[in-house]
């Protein structure tokens, strides 16, 4: 029910699909493993600073780095297909592949859209399609999330803000100004109309984007680094290897605006990791997490003693 993959360096970012696990390591390298056998298939070298974000589809792996560049790699042989140097020369905070497009966010506060050409030649496979410049009233972008319809960015200036974009034309659909003292939104999970907001503190906020309301705040024992929503269960990865499981429906029904891990909606706390959990991936097959010590854990959903009891009675609706 539990498999362990030991990377050569700490894992900063991770993307998982049905066949592969791609990890951006702290040594500026990308390792791509076979999900079934855990065999190392590709080693990708090219960035000169930390790899902050990663995404992939059936053809490409896309990485964004603090060296202000995005590299698109071939999944077949690991060769570089395209390199995008950000016009603002600022760190890349997010990359998302959606169809033929790659969406890129930066600490400059700008969002760039790179598109695969319909008739590419040997030298030009992608081209810059759109560029939404930074807004001085919103500030930097440290995090980005996307689904089929929307793009969500987390901004920081004097306080934190959220901006929702329509993904087809990159028009701003709404802006939520939070007036919170925390200056950084580290991570986002978009499950429209809900959004999970991770900041530089111990609290995970659940937002309803259509009403622009914060529905509930979930307080943990250590800083929240990331979160995912699956079958009505929120999985939260924290510092010190802590992972919390919350029943979304029960949490939203709580009387208090802020609830902690002693509330009945917090179903389980796991401490299987020794280091901070940097990423959480969950699907029908496995719950996969990694940490800054370079450990990737793969847990079988149907046989893991805790997971099978947590998820078997819940569905996506709440």
């Amino acid at each position: 029910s539990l498999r362990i993959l030991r990377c050569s360096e700490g894992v900063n970012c991770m993307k998982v699909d049905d066949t592969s696990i791609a990890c951006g390591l702290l040594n500026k390298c990308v390792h791509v493993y076979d999900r079934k056998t855990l065999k190392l298939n590709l080693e990708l070298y090219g960035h000169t600073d930390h790899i902050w974000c990663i995404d992939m589809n059936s053809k490409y792996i896309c990485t964004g780095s603090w060296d202000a560049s995005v590299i698109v790699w071939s999944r077949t042989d690991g060769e570089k297909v395209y390199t995008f140097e950000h016009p603002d020369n600022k760190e890349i905070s997010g990359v998302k592949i959606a169809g033929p497009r790659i969406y890129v966010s930066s600490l400059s506060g700008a969002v760039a859209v790179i598109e695969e050409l319909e008739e590419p030649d040997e030298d030009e496979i992608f081209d810059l399609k759109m560029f939404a410049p930074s807004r001085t009233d919103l500030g930097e972008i440290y995090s980005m999330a996307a689904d089929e319809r929307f793009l969500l960015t987390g901004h920081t200036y004097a306080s934190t803000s959220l901006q929702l974009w329509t993904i087809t034309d990159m028009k701003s659909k709404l802006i939520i100004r939070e007036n919170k003292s925390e200056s950084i939104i580290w991570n986002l999970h978009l499950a429209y109309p809900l959004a999970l907001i991770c900041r530089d503190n111990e609290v995970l906020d659940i937002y309803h984007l259509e009403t622009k309301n914060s529905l509930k705040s979930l307080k943990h024992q250590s800083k929240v680094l990331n979160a995912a929503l699956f079958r009505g269960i929120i999985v939260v990865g924290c510092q010190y290897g802590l992972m919390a499981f919350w029943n979304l429906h029960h949490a939203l029904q709580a009387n208090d605006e802020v609830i902690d891990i002693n509330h009945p909606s917090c179903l389980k706390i796991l401490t299987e990791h020794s280091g901070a959990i940097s990423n959480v991936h969950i699907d029908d097959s496995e719950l996969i997490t990694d940490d800054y010590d370079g450990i990737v854990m793969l847990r079988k959903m149907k046989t893991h003693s805790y997971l099978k009891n947590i998820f078997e009675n819940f569905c996506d609706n709440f």
Side-chain angles (χ1 to χ4, degrees):
S1 63
L2 175 65
R3 296 185 294 157
I4 295 179
L5 169 63
R6 300 180 186 274
C7 301
S8 59
E9 289 281 345
V11 181
N12 202 34
C13 54
M14 178 180 72
K15 179 65 178 181
V16 179
D17 65 12
D18 291 341
T19 62
S20 302
I21 302 171
C23 297
L25 305 182
L26 296 179
N27 64 356
K28 309 163 192 174
C29 172
V30 178
H31 282 186
V32 184
Y33 301 89
D34 183 277
R35 180 169 172 176
K36 183 177 180 180
T37 65
L38 303 187
K39 176 185 175 183
L40 177 61
N41 288 336
L42 293 173
E43 295 182 76
L44 311 179
Y45 295 92
H47 285 294
T48 59
D49 206 333
H50 290 304
I51 300 170
W52 189 252
C53 46
I54 188 168
D55 201 6
M56 63 183 174
N57 61 10
S58 59
K59 293 173 62 178
Y60 303 117
I61 297 169
C62 181
T63 53
S65 168
W66 279 32
D67 63 13
S69 76
V70 173
I71 299 179
V72 182
W73 319 76
S74 168
R75 282 192 67 166
T76 304
D77 54 17
E79 292 296 317
K80 290 183 185 179
V81 172
Y82 176 78
T83 300
F84 173 69
E85 303 289 345
H86 200 279
D88 294 334
N89 196 32
K90 286 289 189 177
E91 297 89 338
I92 305 299
S93 58
V95 290
K96 296 294 178 183
I97 303 176
R101 290 181 170 183
I102 300 173
Y103 297 83
V104 180
S105 64
S106 166
L107 292 196
S108 71
V111 177
V113 182
I114 304 165
E115 187 167 88
E116 186 176 9
L117 298 174
E118 293 182 2
E119 298 181 0
D121 55 39
E122 292 184 358
D123 298 325
E124 294 293 335
I125 297 178
F126 288 85
D127 193 20
L128 180 62
K129 179 72 173 180
M130 287 187 237
F131 189 78
S134 60
R135 291 180 47 166
T136 56
D137 59 327
L138 294 180
E140 300 169 323
I141 299 176
Y142 272 88
S143 53
M144 180 174 67
D147 60 15
E148 294 80 10
R149 295 185 297 161
F150 300 111
L151 192 77
L152 183 66
T153 49
H155 298 255
T156 174
Y157 181 54
S159 63
T160 50
S161 301
L162 299 167
Q163 185 169 194
L164 187 71
W165 316 66
T166 51
I167 203 166
T168 52
D169 55 14
M170 287 303 295
K171 291 184 177 179
S172 180
K173 180 179 173 65
L174 62 87
I175 295 175
I176 301 175
R177 301 180 187 275
E178 299 184 299
N179 296 319
K180 289 182 178 285
S181 59
E182 291 80 15
S183 61
I184 296 174
I185 297 177
W186 281 118
N187 215 315
L188 296 166
H189 178 83
L190 179 60
Y192 192 85
L194 297 184
L196 307 180
I197 314 300
C198 310
R199 295 183 185 80
D200 191 22
N201 61 18
E202 298 81 17
V203 177
L204 174 72
D205 286 328
I206 307 171
Y207 264 85
H208 193 287
L209 297 173
E210 291 181 348
T211 63
K212 299 186 179 182
N213 290 327
S214 177
L215 302 178
K216 202 66 60 179
S217 296
L218 312 180
K219 189 172 183 179
H220 298 76
Q221 294 170 312
S222 59
K223 286 186 179 181
V224 172
L225 302 180
N226 50 82
L229 176 62
F230 183 76
R231 293 187 181 176
I233 303 297
I234 301 173
V235 185
V236 184
C238 305
Q239 276 189 331
Y240 312 124
L242 299 177
M243 184 162 52
F245 298 80
W246 298 79
N247 181 317
L248 172 63
H249 181 66
H250 292 167
L252 294 180
Q253 288 184 324
N255 293 326
D256 297 327
E257 182 181 346
V258 180
I259 55 177
D260 62 21
I261 58 173
N262 295 312
H263 191 271
S265 61
C266 184
L267 305 174
K268 188 69 182 178
I269 299 288
L270 288 183
T271 55
E272 296 173 325
H273 283 277
S274 60
I277 298 174
S278 49
N279 298 278
V280 173
H281 168 87
I282 186 166
D283 57 33
D284 288 325
S285 177
E286 291 177 303
L287 168 63
I288 303 177
T289 54
D290 61 56
D291 63 36
Y292 290 124
D293 291 337
I295 301 298
V296 180
M297 291 190 180
L298 303 91
R299 306 163 187 82
K300 290 288 186 183
M301 295 288 288
K302 294 183 179 179
T303 57
H304 192 282
S305 57
Y306 296 131
L307 299 186
K308 65 180 181 180
N309 295 325
I310 290 175
F311 288 95
E312 63 183 358
N313 296 322
F314 298 100
C315 61
D316 290 323
N317 296 322
F318 64 93

